[in-house]
Amino acid sequence: MEFYGVELENCACGKEHVFPLKEIISGSGVLGDFPDVISKYGIKKPFIVADANTYAAAGKRVTETLAKIGVPFSEFLFGGAVEPDEQATERAMNAFDNACDAVIGVGSGVINDICKIVAAKHNKFYIIIATAPSMDGYASATSSMAVKGLKTSVNSKCPDVIIGDIEILKNAPLKMLKAGLGDMLAKYVSILEWRLSNEINGEYYCENIAKIIRRARDKCVENAAGLIKRDETAVKAVFDGLIIGGIAMAFAGVSRPASGVEHYVSHIIDMRGLQFGTKTELHGIQCAVATLYCAKLYDKLKTVTLSEERGKAETSAFSRAAWEQNLRAFLNKAAEPMIKLEDKEKKYDPEKAKIRRKTITEKWEKLMKIVQDELPPADKIAEILSVAEIPETFEEAGIEIDMQKAFAATKDIRDKYVLSSLLWDIGLLGEFCSEL
């Protein structure tokens, strides 16, 4: 199987890469092919889900098309803003017509996440008609939801068909276009940290998947200047890149190809928003800003001289009680799953830290070569943000966040080795955080 110019059959990584979708339809005017899709997959009565904005963008045309070709349907429209939570999902679930044989979502992040759960629950064919190139979750089999006030990933269903009409996508709110580019810029850090963890921890890594991500990301960067002009080539590059990001995660079986510490900064901001009502921004905007912060830290990391004593001191000074107290104060109830994770992961165990430090010391030059090869200098990232008119700081984005505490907490969100994990291992987390 070849995907995005990369041959994946008998991949050297040893994993079988299974394509998760039946079809991706992307291009200008492709919504006109919608009747053919309905016929091709034998859909007799779909359940349409949209909100007021996405219905105006594409949903009305979908329902009119179905009526014109004589296909009955049921529909559920959210009024006003829709939050990705249990209440919204339950409303859509309760509205589902059991006579329907397919779910068709019309929207982007929230609508797609809700519809993936509805389709999974009822075991139905699922089509998403995208209305904004804003995030890389279109092709994933999980949904990002707020469950009891906590942001979490819920197993759901990968779409069977994704339709992205560039004529519709280019007219999405400009901030959503920028968010899509921001999510793609995060792939600089994600691939870098995937490789670092492979070297330090022996974590699974696939160079072919990384190559696919790099190609998609670089195409987005090449066309960044056209995005704010709603240039179709730029919009298609971002949309296709986001779809490829989701597929790459499915190929790998992990989120590594698409997210690293920059995503965790965004998750921390979202957690604070859920727990304390603080302001948040679109995920991709948060990832874009966090990518620049991380690039600055990686630039500094390349100048570091390792010290075994410094790493030992960090490990010795760690207090489980103080760590729990600080995490709870900063994230409230959202800290509890992170604390439970440490019971399983035991990343703060002195012996485990000692083993990692030994590997880091032995491979330091190679690790820094990976940083050099995978991540452009911070000023290059800043240039891309400037061209796309994306904020370069969280203050500019209107987000109040204690970045020192937020960045320190990123190593605790998942069992994923990221920059903050590495800095803790070598005894430099506090020093680096002080510069944020």
Side-chain angles (χ1 to χ4, degrees), residues 219-252:
K219 193 169 184 179
C220 293
V221 171
E222 289 166 11
N223 290 280
L227 195 65
I228 58 174
K229 301 173 185 176
R230 301 183 186 275
D231 174 76
E232 289 195 1
T233 300
V235 173
K236 189 175 190 309
V238 170
F239 179 69
D240 289 350
L242 294 168
I243 301 302
I244 288 165
I247 292 171
M249 287 188 278
F251 283 157

Side-chain angles (χ1 to χ4, degrees), residues 130-246:
T131 56
S134 54
M135 51 85 222
D136 64 5
Y138 279 117
S140 77
T142 61
S143 295
S144 182
M145 304 295 290
V147 179
K148 296 180 180 179
L150 301 178
K151 192 75 172 286
T152 187
S153 291
V154 178
N155 289 332
S156 53
K157 174 182 172 68
C158 178
D160 294 289
V161 178
I162 298 174
I163 300 176
D165 191 326
I166 306 305
E167 291 180 4
I168 294 169
L169 295 170
K170 73 178 184 180
N171 291 313
L174 193 55
K175 185 185 288 187
M176 299 185 85
L177 302 184
K178 295 177 183 180
L181 176 61
D183 211 337
M184 288 306 297
L185 289 178
K187 280 44 174 176
Y188 280 119
V189 177
S190 66
I191 297 300
L192 163 59
E193 293 183 339
W194 195 15
R195 290 186 65 188
L196 293 180
S197 186
N198 170 252
E199 293 291 339
I200 296 168
N201 301 301
E203 181 181 343
Y204 162 78
Y205 170 75
C206 177
E207 176 57 27
N208 278 334
I209 293 174
K211 189 181 297 183
I212 289 167
I213 289 291
R214 293 188 197 104
R215 289 180 180 180
R217 178 202 65 210
D218 291 350
K219 193 169 184 179
C220 293
V221 171
E222 289 166 11
N223 290 280
L227 195 65
I228 58 174
K229 301 173 185 176
R230 301 183 186 275
D231 174 76
E232 289 195 1
T233 300
V235 173
K236 189 175 190 309
V238 170
F239 179 69
D240 289 350
L242 294 168
I243 301 302
I244 288 165

Side-chain angles (χ1 to χ4, degrees), residues 30-334:
V30 296
L31 191 56
D33 298 333
F34 180 63
D36 295 335
V37 174
I38 294 296
S39 175
K40 178 178 181 178
Y41 294 103
I43 296 170
K44 304 301 182 185
K45 184 180 181 181
F47 176 60
I48 315 293
V49 181
D51 63 26
N53 292 328
T54 63
Y55 186 79
K60 186 172 186 291
R61 183 174 166 189
V62 168
T63 56
E64 288 175 346
T65 299
L66 290 170
K68 185 176 180 179
I69 63 177
V71 175
F73 61 89
S74 293
E75 62 182 338
F76 176 72
L77 303 181
F78 287 99
V82 189
E83 296 297 328
D85 57 24
E86 296 165 293
Q87 290 74 30
T89 303
E90 186 175 1
R91 289 172 62 197
M93 199 79 75
N94 290 340
F96 181 77
D97 181 347
N98 288 319
C100 291
D101 58 354
V103 176
I104 299 178
V106 183
S108 56
V110 177
I111 293 294
N112 187 45
D113 281 337
I114 290 171
C115 286
K116 285 191 289 187
I117 293 174
V118 174
K121 174 70 174 178
H122 294 282
N123 193 27
K124 301 299 180 183
F125 194 90
Y126 176 45
I127 301 171
I128 177 65
I129 297 172
T131 56
S134 54
M135 51 85 222
D136 64 5
Y138 279 117
S140 77
T142 61
S143 295
S144 182
M145 304 295 290
V147 179
K148 296 180 180 179
L150 301 178
K151 192 75 172 286
T152 187
S153 291
V154 178
N155 289 332
S156 53
K157 174 182 172 68
C158 178
D160 294 289
V161 178
I162 298 174
I163 300 176
D165 191 326
I166 306 305
E167 291 180 4
I168 294 169
L169 295 170
K170 73 178 184 180
N171 291 313
L174 193 55
K175 185 185 288 187
M176 299 185 85
L177 302 184
K178 295 177 183 180
L181 176 61
D183 211 337
M184 288 306 297
L185 289 178
K187 280 44 174 176
Y188 280 119
V189 177
S190 66
I191 297 300
L192 163 59
E193 293 183 339
W194 195 15
R195 290 186 65 188
L196 293 180
S197 186
N198 170 252
E199 293 291 339
I200 296 168
N201 301 301
E203 181 181 343
Y204 162 78
Y205 170 75
C206 177
E207 176 57 27
N208 278 334
I209 293 174
K211 189 181 297 183
I212 289 167
I213 289 291
R214 293 188 197 104
R215 289 180 180 180
R217 178 202 65 210
D218 291 350
K219 193 169 184 179
C220 293
V221 171
E222 289 166 11
N223 290 280
L227 195 65
I228 58 174
K229 301 173 185 176
R230 301 183 186 275
D231 174 76
E232 289 195 1
T233 300
V235 173
K236 189 175 190 309
V238 170
F239 179 69
D240 289 350
L242 294 168
I243 301 302
I244 288 165
I247 292 171
M249 287 188 278
F251 283 157
V254 291
S255 64
R256 273 294 192 186
S259 69
V261 70
E262 78 300 318
H263 267 61
Y264 287 176
V265 172
S266 180
H267 290 341
I268 293 289
I269 292 170
D270 290 342
M271 289 177 185
R272 293 269 304 170
L274 286 169
Q275 295 297 319
F276 303 106
T278 51
K279 187 180 182 301
T280 62
E281 250 298 354
L282 292 176
H283 172 68
I285 298 293
Q286 293 177 172
C287 285
V289 178
T291 296
L292 178 56
Y293 280 64
C294 294
K296 291 177 179 178
L297 294 182
Y298 273 112
D299 281 352
K300 179 177 173 63
L301 186 65
K302 288 183 288 187
T303 69
V304 161
T305 299
L306 289 184
S307 165
E308 177 69 16
E309 293 307 314
R310 195 164 48 204
K312 287 181 180 179
E314 183 85 57
T315 304
S316 299
F318 177 74
S319 164
R320 172 71 185 248
W323 170 74
E324 289 187 13
Q325 182 179 14
N326 292 335
L327 210 55
R328 288 187 174 110
F330 187 53
L331 294 174
N332 199 18
K333 293 179 181 178

